[in-house]
Structures are given as structure tokens and as C-alpha cells.
Amino acid sequence: MNMRKIVSVVFILYVVLHLFAFKSVAEENSGEVEKVVKNSKQNEINVFTGMFDFSDEKQKAGLFGFQHQNDELFIEADHGRFSPITGAFITSKNAFYIYTGVQAEYQFGSLAITPSFAPGYYGAGNGKDLGYPLEFKSEIQMSFDISDSTHLGMSYNHISNASLGTKNPGANSYMFNFLKQF
């Protein structure tokens, strides 16, 4: 079995186990989750736009994307609140990235700091070749409450294939975020 098949199988297993792990935690703590969810919003949509690979003058491109976070499937920990995310973006050069992962949220009054990690599938389109279809996105987002259910923020991410491909140029992006809870 070649390396690409092994990585693909590991990625599929990761996604499946990731989804079941959050589902089982939510079911085990359903009483606690119901109490918390009644006092908070259940879903959050993050619509964002920005610049993909801004540090590469030849390859930079505008981007537009969205991300969904289901607040019913969270884990409350001493060091923050963890929940699954799923999203996608497309660039002005038709490159795209579809991902699922996990984010942590740290609230400091009206300021929220949200780091996340999400493996996903990258298609180069007419944009930058990142060297492998499986890429890993590490992101940090800072957002401010405008109202109880609306937030504005800015985020930075780095996408890399962790040297799984023959090349690993990576891409650095920044985005402006509009987050709405419902």
C-alpha cells in the first residue's frame, strides 16, 4: 500500500472517529448539555472573506468561505470550550478547501479568542499547488461581540500538508469574519 492510500485511510478514520466521539460525549452528558444549550445558542455560522496566501505575491488570491459550528456537540473543559467545526472556502483562482476539525473558544468579556485545527481536502484549481490533497489548517481567530448573537472578527490561518506530498509550500491567509448564532 503506497503512502497516499495510507494517509487517505487514516484521514477517513480520523473524521469518522472524530464525529462519533463528539456525538457520544454529547449523548453521555445530554442532561448537562440540555441545561447549557437552553441558556445559549445552538448553531453558529461564520461567513468570511480575505486574502489566500497573502505572503506569496504571485499566488495570492481573494477568498470567500463559510464555517458551521454546532454548539450542541461541545466539551466544556477547565481551559475552554471545545466543539466541532465544518467549513469550506473558494479562492478567486478556483482553489478550494473543504474541512472538518475542532475549535476551542476562550471568552474574555466581549472578546473571544478561538484557535482551531482542521484537516481537509484541497483542490488547486487555477491557484497554488500545495503539493498534496490532504492539508491541515491551523487557525487563530479574534472576535468581538456586537450583540448576543452577532460577532465580528479577524482570523489568520496556515495550511500545510505536513510534508506528506513531494512539496510542501504551505499558504498563509487572513480573513474578516461575520459570525451569527441562531
mmCIF file of all heavy atoms in Angstrom, residues 140-178:
data_model
loop_
_atom_site.group_PDB
_atom_site.id
_atom_site.type_symbol
_atom_site.label_atom_id
_atom_site.label_comp_id
_atom_site.label_asym_id
_atom_site.label_seq_id
_atom_site.Cartn_x
_atom_site.Cartn_y
_atom_site.Cartn_z
ATOM 1 N N ILE A 140 -6.169 30.906 14.092
ATOM 2 C CA ILE A 140 -6.474 31.666 15.298
ATOM 3 C C ILE A 140 -7.416 32.795 14.888
ATOM 4 O O ILE A 140 -7.182 33.462 13.888
ATOM 5 C CB ILE A 140 -5.189 32.211 15.997
ATOM 6 C CG1 ILE A 140 -5.513 32.899 17.313
ATOM 7 C CG2 ILE A 140 -4.402 33.116 15.103
ATOM 8 C CD1 ILE A 140 -5.776 31.970 18.445
ATOM 9 N N GLN A 141 -8.482 32.950 15.661
ATOM 10 C CA GLN A 141 -9.481 33.978 15.366
ATOM 11 C C GLN A 141 -9.725 34.815 16.615
ATOM 12 O O GLN A 141 -9.760 34.289 17.725
ATOM 13 C CB GLN A 141 -10.784 33.324 14.934
ATOM 14 C CG GLN A 141 -11.928 34.286 14.726
ATOM 15 C CD GLN A 141 -13.181 33.527 14.348
ATOM 16 O OE1 GLN A 141 -13.293 33.012 13.257
ATOM 17 N NE2 GLN A 141 -14.116 33.454 15.274
ATOM 18 N N MET A 142 -9.900 36.096 16.411
ATOM 19 C CA MET A 142 -10.256 37.003 17.493
ATOM 20 C C MET A 142 -11.541 37.701 17.067
ATOM 21 O O MET A 142 -11.614 38.255 15.974
ATOM 22 C CB MET A 142 -9.137 38.025 17.707
ATOM 23 C CG MET A 142 -9.381 38.941 18.865
ATOM 24 S SD MET A 142 -7.961 40.008 19.248
ATOM 25 C CE MET A 142 -7.717 40.871 17.723
ATOM 26 N N SER A 143 -12.571 37.631 17.929
ATOM 27 C CA SER A 143 -13.842 38.255 17.572
ATOM 28 C C SER A 143 -14.403 39.048 18.749
ATOM 29 O O SER A 143 -14.100 38.767 19.910
ATOM 30 C CB SER A 143 -14.854 37.208 17.107
ATOM 31 O OG SER A 143 -15.113 36.275 18.122
ATOM 32 N N PHE A 144 -15.224 40.032 18.412
ATOM 33 C CA PHE A 144 -15.849 40.902 19.402
ATOM 34 C C PHE A 144 -17.358 40.782 19.294
ATOM 35 O O PHE A 144 -17.910 40.713 18.196
ATOM 36 C CB PHE A 144 -15.443 42.365 19.173
ATOM 37 C CG PHE A 144 -13.986 42.609 19.364
ATOM 38 C CD1 PHE A 144 -13.114 42.569 18.289
ATOM 39 C CD2 PHE A 144 -13.471 42.876 20.628
ATOM 40 C CE1 PHE A 144 -11.758 42.781 18.461
ATOM 41 C CE2 PHE A 144 -12.119 43.090 20.810
ATOM 42 C CZ PHE A 144 -11.265 43.037 19.721
ATOM 43 N N ASP A 145 -18.026 40.782 20.457
ATOM 44 C CA ASP A 145 -19.489 40.723 20.481
ATOM 45 C C ASP A 145 -20.055 42.069 20.051
ATOM 46 O O ASP A 145 -19.680 43.112 20.593
ATOM 47 C CB ASP A 145 -19.993 40.424 21.895
ATOM 48 C CG ASP A 145 -19.549 39.070 22.415
ATOM 49 O OD1 ASP A 145 -19.055 38.260 21.616
ATOM 50 O OD2 ASP A 145 -19.702 38.826 23.620
ATOM 51 N N ILE A 146 -20.958 42.025 19.070
ATOM 52 C CA ILE A 146 -21.709 43.216 18.684
ATOM 53 C C ILE A 146 -23.066 43.174 19.375
ATOM 54 O O ILE A 146 -23.585 44.184 19.800
ATOM 55 C CB ILE A 146 -21.876 43.282 17.159
ATOM 56 C CG1 ILE A 146 -20.521 43.497 16.524
ATOM 57 C CG2 ILE A 146 -22.845 44.379 16.759
ATOM 58 C CD1 ILE A 146 -20.539 43.518 15.033
ATOM 59 N N SER A 147 -23.618 41.960 19.471
ATOM 60 C CA SER A 147 -24.853 41.718 20.216
ATOM 61 C C SER A 147 -24.760 40.314 20.792
ATOM 62 O O SER A 147 -23.735 39.649 20.645
ATOM 63 C CB SER A 147 -26.076 41.867 19.300
ATOM 64 O OG SER A 147 -26.135 40.783 18.387
ATOM 65 N N ASP A 148 -25.836 39.839 21.403
ATOM 66 C CA ASP A 148 -25.817 38.491 21.973
ATOM 67 C C ASP A 148 -25.577 37.413 20.926
ATOM 68 O O ASP A 148 -25.026 36.366 21.231
ATOM 69 C CB ASP A 148 -27.136 38.201 22.694
ATOM 70 C CG ASP A 148 -27.252 38.972 23.996
ATOM 71 O OD1 ASP A 148 -26.213 39.453 24.497
ATOM 72 O OD2 ASP A 148 -28.384 39.092 24.502
ATOM 73 N N SER A 149 -25.993 37.654 19.688
ATOM 74 C CA SER A 149 -25.900 36.606 18.673
ATOM 75 C C SER A 149 -25.061 36.985 17.461
ATOM 76 O O SER A 149 -24.982 36.231 16.501
ATOM 77 C CB SER A 149 -27.306 36.221 18.204
ATOM 78 O OG SER A 149 -27.931 37.330 17.597
ATOM 79 N N THR A 150 -24.416 38.142 17.472
ATOM 80 C CA THR A 150 -23.639 38.603 16.326
ATOM 81 C C THR A 150 -22.244 39.020 16.778
ATOM 82 O O THR A 150 -22.095 39.721 17.778
ATOM 83 C CB THR A 150 -24.338 39.798 15.640
ATOM 84 O OG1 THR A 150 -25.676 39.427 15.338
ATOM 85 C CG2 THR A 150 -23.630 40.193 14.367
ATOM 86 N N HIS A 151 -21.243 38.601 16.017
ATOM 87 C CA HIS A 151 -19.852 38.892 16.347
ATOM 88 C C HIS A 151 -19.098 39.266 15.078
ATOM 89 O O HIS A 151 -19.393 38.745 13.995
ATOM 90 C CB HIS A 151 -19.174 37.678 16.992
ATOM 91 C CG HIS A 151 -19.999 37.033 18.046
ATOM 92 N ND1 HIS A 151 -20.079 37.515 19.330
ATOM 93 C CD2 HIS A 151 -20.817 35.954 18.003
ATOM 94 C CE1 HIS A 151 -20.894 36.756 20.037
ATOM 95 N NE2 HIS A 151 -21.365 35.801 19.242
ATOM 96 N N LEU A 152 -18.123 40.138 15.196
ATOM 97 C CA LEU A 152 -17.208 40.487 14.108
ATOM 98 C C LEU A 152 -15.807 40.118 14.540
ATOM 99 O O LEU A 152 -15.454 40.280 15.710
ATOM 100 C CB LEU A 152 -17.263 41.979 13.798
ATOM 101 C CG LEU A 152 -18.482 42.487 13.061
ATOM 102 C CD1 LEU A 152 -18.369 44.000 12.865
ATOM 103 C CD2 LEU A 152 -18.673 41.788 11.735
ATOM 104 N N GLY A 153 -15.015 39.614 13.584
ATOM 105 C CA GLY A 153 -13.673 39.212 13.961
ATOM 106 C C GLY A 153 -12.708 39.208 12.807
ATOM 107 O O GLY A 153 -13.043 39.526 11.666
ATOM 108 N N MET A 154 -11.488 38.831 13.131
ATOM 109 C CA MET A 154 -10.423 38.669 12.154
ATOM 110 C C MET A 154 -9.685 37.390 12.500
ATOM 111 O O MET A 154 -9.532 37.054 13.674
ATOM 112 C CB MET A 154 -9.474 39.860 12.185
ATOM 113 C CG MET A 154 -8.429 39.817 11.111
ATOM 114 S SD MET A 154 -7.544 41.370 11.019
ATOM 115 C CE MET A 154 -6.469 41.006 9.646
ATOM 116 N N SER A 155 -9.244 36.681 11.466
ATOM 117 C CA SER A 155 -8.532 35.429 11.713
ATOM 118 C C SER A 155 -7.345 35.286 10.768
ATOM 119 O O SER A 155 -7.266 35.927 9.720
ATOM 120 C CB SER A 155 -9.476 34.232 11.578
ATOM 121 O OG SER A 155 -10.095 34.214 10.323
ATOM 122 N N TYR A 156 -6.426 34.442 11.183
ATOM 123 C CA TYR A 156 -5.219 34.111 10.413
ATOM 124 C C TYR A 156 -5.107 32.596 10.410
ATOM 125 O O TYR A 156 -5.327 31.954 11.431
ATOM 126 C CB TYR A 156 -3.980 34.733 11.077
ATOM 127 C CG TYR A 156 -2.687 34.162 10.554
ATOM 128 C CD1 TYR A 156 -2.107 34.665 9.393
ATOM 129 C CD2 TYR A 156 -2.063 33.103 11.196
ATOM 130 C CE1 TYR A 156 -0.927 34.132 8.897
ATOM 131 C CE2 TYR A 156 -0.884 32.563 10.710
ATOM 132 C CZ TYR A 156 -0.319 33.076 9.560
ATOM 133 O OH TYR A 156 0.840 32.533 9.071
ATOM 134 N N ASN A 157 -4.778 32.016 9.242
ATOM 135 C CA ASN A 157 -4.541 30.575 9.229
ATOM 136 C C ASN A 157 -3.340 30.211 8.371
ATOM 137 O O ASN A 157 -2.891 31.002 7.529
ATOM 138 C CB ASN A 157 -5.793 29.789 8.804
ATOM 139 C CG ASN A 157 -6.133 29.905 7.339
ATOM 140 O OD1 ASN A 157 -5.276 29.952 6.474
ATOM 141 N ND2 ASN A 157 -7.428 29.954 7.050
ATOM 142 N N HIS A 158 -2.847 29.025 8.626
ATOM 143 C CA HIS A 158 -1.764 28.434 7.840
ATOM 144 C C HIS A 158 -2.229 27.050 7.406
ATOM 145 O O HIS A 158 -2.712 26.265 8.229
ATOM 146 C CB HIS A 158 -0.478 28.320 8.662
ATOM 147 C CG HIS A 158 0.633 27.660 7.910
ATOM 148 N ND1 HIS A 158 1.331 28.316 6.910
ATOM 149 C CD2 HIS A 158 1.140 26.415 7.979
ATOM 150 C CE1 HIS A 158 2.233 27.470 6.401
ATOM 151 N NE2 HIS A 158 2.132 26.316 7.047
ATOM 152 N N ILE A 159 -2.094 26.774 6.121
ATOM 153 C CA ILE A 159 -2.460 25.474 5.578
ATOM 154 C C ILE A 159 -1.192 24.802 5.080
ATOM 155 O O ILE A 159 -0.392 25.413 4.372
ATOM 156 C CB ILE A 159 -3.482 25.614 4.427
ATOM 157 C CG1 ILE A 159 -4.766 26.225 4.960
ATOM 158 C CG2 ILE A 159 -3.749 24.266 3.776
ATOM 159 C CD1 ILE A 159 -5.804 26.513 3.902
ATOM 160 N N SER A 160 -1.011 23.539 5.465
ATOM 161 C CA SER A 160 0.193 22.787 5.134
ATOM 162 C C SER A 160 -0.145 21.302 5.036
ATOM 163 O O SER A 160 -1.078 20.836 5.670
ATOM 164 C CB SER A 160 1.239 22.996 6.232
ATOM 165 O OG SER A 160 2.333 22.128 6.065
ATOM 166 N N ASN A 161 0.642 20.567 4.245
ATOM 167 C CA ASN A 161 0.408 19.118 4.148
ATOM 168 C C ASN A 161 1.337 18.312 5.050
ATOM 169 O O ASN A 161 1.384 17.089 4.948
ATOM 170 C CB ASN A 161 0.501 18.637 2.693
ATOM 171 C CG ASN A 161 1.877 18.769 2.084
ATOM 172 O OD1 ASN A 161 2.887 18.607 2.761
ATOM 173 N ND2 ASN A 161 1.929 19.068 0.804
ATOM 174 N N ALA A 162 2.047 18.957 5.936
ATOM 175 C CA ALA A 162 2.937 18.285 6.890
ATOM 176 C C ALA A 162 3.953 17.394 6.186
ATOM 177 O O ALA A 162 4.307 16.326 6.673
ATOM 178 C CB ALA A 162 2.137 17.488 7.916
ATOM 179 N N SER A 163 4.394 17.827 5.011
ATOM 180 C CA SER A 163 5.392 17.114 4.195
ATOM 181 C C SER A 163 4.925 15.726 3.743
ATOM 182 O O SER A 163 5.732 14.829 3.536
ATOM 183 C CB SER A 163 6.726 17.016 4.937
ATOM 184 O OG SER A 163 7.250 18.316 5.144
ATOM 185 N N LEU A 164 3.631 15.532 3.581
ATOM 186 C CA LEU A 164 3.114 14.277 3.035
ATOM 187 C C LEU A 164 3.312 14.212 1.527
ATOM 188 O O LEU A 164 3.429 13.132 0.965
ATOM 189 C CB LEU A 164 1.624 14.108 3.356
ATOM 190 C CG LEU A 164 1.271 13.943 4.826
ATOM 191 C CD1 LEU A 164 -0.234 13.979 5.014
ATOM 192 C CD2 LEU A 164 1.847 12.650 5.358
ATOM 193 N N GLY A 165 3.312 15.345 0.872
ATOM 194 C CA GLY A 165 3.474 15.400 -0.575
ATOM 195 C C GLY A 165 4.930 15.566 -0.975
ATOM 196 O O GLY A 165 5.826 15.663 -0.130
ATOM 197 N N THR A 166 5.155 15.626 -2.288
ATOM 198 C CA THR A 166 6.510 15.808 -2.795
ATOM 199 C C THR A 166 7.018 17.222 -2.528
ATOM 200 O O THR A 166 8.213 17.459 -2.521
ATOM 201 C CB THR A 166 6.552 15.533 -4.311
ATOM 202 O OG1 THR A 166 5.576 16.367 -4.957
ATOM 203 C CG2 THR A 166 6.251 14.072 -4.602
ATOM 204 N N LYS A 167 6.088 18.149 -2.346
ATOM 205 C CA LYS A 167 6.454 19.502 -1.938
ATOM 206 C C LYS A 167 5.459 19.978 -0.897
ATOM 207 O O LYS A 167 4.354 19.446 -0.783
ATOM 208 C CB LYS A 167 6.509 20.444 -3.139
ATOM 209 C CG LYS A 167 5.201 20.623 -3.859
ATOM 210 C CD LYS A 167 5.383 21.558 -5.053
ATOM 211 C CE LYS A 167 4.065 21.827 -5.730
ATOM 212 N NZ LYS A 167 4.174 22.832 -6.763
ATOM 213 N N ASN A 168 5.863 20.979 -0.115
ATOM 214 C CA ASN A 168 5.021 21.488 0.962
ATOM 215 C C ASN A 168 5.208 23.004 1.083
ATOM 216 O O ASN A 168 5.810 23.482 2.031
ATOM 217 C CB ASN A 168 5.375 20.791 2.275
ATOM 218 C CG ASN A 168 4.474 21.215 3.417
ATOM 219 O OD1 ASN A 168 3.384 21.718 3.214
ATOM 220 N ND2 ASN A 168 4.950 21.019 4.631
ATOM 221 N N PRO A 169 4.675 23.770 0.107
ATOM 222 C CA PRO A 169 4.887 25.216 0.164
ATOM 223 C C PRO A 169 4.064 25.922 1.230
ATOM 224 O O PRO A 169 4.457 26.980 1.713
ATOM 225 C CB PRO A 169 4.475 25.682 -1.236
ATOM 226 C CG PRO A 169 3.465 24.682 -1.671
ATOM 227 C CD PRO A 169 3.926 23.365 -1.070
ATOM 228 N N GLY A 170 2.910 25.361 1.602
ATOM 229 C CA GLY A 170 2.054 25.995 2.596
ATOM 230 C C GLY A 170 1.419 27.269 2.065
ATOM 231 O O GLY A 170 1.773 27.775 0.995
ATOM 232 N N ALA A 171 0.448 27.778 2.802
ATOM 233 C CA ALA A 171 -0.229 29.019 2.434
ATOM 234 C C ALA A 171 -0.678 29.734 3.711
ATOM 235 O O ALA A 171 -1.199 29.105 4.626
ATOM 236 C CB ALA A 171 -1.438 28.733 1.553
ATOM 237 N N ASN A 172 -0.459 31.035 3.760
ATOM 238 C CA ASN A 172 -0.868 31.872 4.889
ATOM 239 C C ASN A 172 -1.998 32.781 4.433
ATOM 240 O O ASN A 172 -1.892 33.426 3.393
ATOM 241 C CB ASN A 172 0.303 32.725 5.378
ATOM 242 C CG ASN A 172 1.451 31.879 5.846
ATOM 243 O OD1 ASN A 172 1.282 31.039 6.715
ATOM 244 N ND2 ASN A 172 2.623 32.088 5.275
ATOM 245 N N SER A 173 -3.060 32.845 5.213
ATOM 246 C CA SER A 173 -4.223 33.635 4.825
ATOM 247 C C SER A 173 -4.739 34.444 6.001
ATOM 248 O O SER A 173 -4.577 34.064 7.152
ATOM 249 C CB SER A 173 -5.342 32.712 4.334
ATOM 250 O OG SER A 173 -4.897 31.874 3.301
ATOM 251 N N TYR A 174 -5.382 35.576 5.688
ATOM 252 C CA TYR A 174 -6.092 36.326 6.709
ATOM 253 C C TYR A 174 -7.518 36.549 6.238
ATOM 254 O O TYR A 174 -7.784 36.615 5.036
ATOM 255 C CB TYR A 174 -5.401 37.645 7.056
ATOM 256 C CG TYR A 174 -5.368 38.658 5.936
ATOM 257 C CD1 TYR A 174 -6.459 39.498 5.703
ATOM 258 C CD2 TYR A 174 -4.256 38.787 5.118
ATOM 259 C CE1 TYR A 174 -6.442 40.420 4.687
ATOM 260 C CE2 TYR A 174 -4.229 39.702 4.094
ATOM 261 C CZ TYR A 174 -5.319 40.524 3.881
ATOM 262 O OH TYR A 174 -5.296 41.441 2.861
ATOM 263 N N MET A 175 -8.446 36.611 7.182
ATOM 264 C CA MET A 175 -9.852 36.751 6.864
ATOM 265 C C MET A 175 -10.527 37.720 7.830
ATOM 266 O O MET A 175 -10.109 37.854 8.973
ATOM 267 C CB MET A 175 -10.581 35.394 6.995
ATOM 268 C CG MET A 175 -10.285 34.386 5.910
ATOM 269 S SD MET A 175 -8.748 33.492 6.115
ATOM 270 C CE MET A 175 -8.797 32.897 7.737
ATOM 271 N N PHE A 176 -11.596 38.336 7.342
ATOM 272 C CA PHE A 176 -12.502 39.107 8.173
ATOM 273 C C PHE A 176 -13.753 38.261 8.337
ATOM 274 O O PHE A 176 -14.277 37.729 7.356
ATOM 275 C CB PHE A 176 -12.822 40.464 7.522
ATOM 276 C CG PHE A 176 -11.594 41.310 7.374
ATOM 277 C CD1 PHE A 176 -10.920 41.372 6.170
ATOM 278 C CD2 PHE A 176 -11.104 42.018 8.454
ATOM 279 C CE1 PHE A 176 -9.779 42.128 6.033
ATOM 280 C CE2 PHE A 176 -9.959 42.789 8.337
ATOM 281 C CZ PHE A 176 -9.283 42.845 7.111
ATOM 282 N N ASN A 177 -14.230 38.102 9.568
ATOM 283 C CA ASN A 177 -15.297 37.167 9.889
ATOM 284 C C ASN A 177 -16.553 37.866 10.379
ATOM 285 O O ASN A 177 -16.483 38.794 11.180
ATOM 286 C CB ASN A 177 -14.838 36.202 10.992
ATOM 287 C CG ASN A 177 -13.511 35.561 10.678
ATOM 288 O OD1 ASN A 177 -12.463 36.143 10.944
ATOM 289 N ND2 ASN A 177 -13.531 34.382 10.111
ATOM 290 N N PHE A 178 -17.688 37.360 9.918
ATOM 291 C CA PHE A 178 -19.004 37.745 10.437
ATOM 292 C C PHE A 178 -19.625 36.475 10.991
ATOM 293 O O PHE A 178 -19.847 35.520 10.251
ATOM 294 C CB PHE A 178 -19.880 38.337 9.327
ATOM 295 C CG PHE A 178 -21.268 38.638 9.783
ATOM 296 C CD1 PHE A 178 -21.540 39.759 10.547
ATOM 297 C CD2 PHE A 178 -22.312 37.784 9.466
ATOM 298 C CE1 PHE A 178 -22.831 40.039 10.981
ATOM 299 C CE2 PHE A 178 -23.623 38.042 9.892
ATOM 300 C CZ PHE A 178 -23.871 39.176 10.651
#
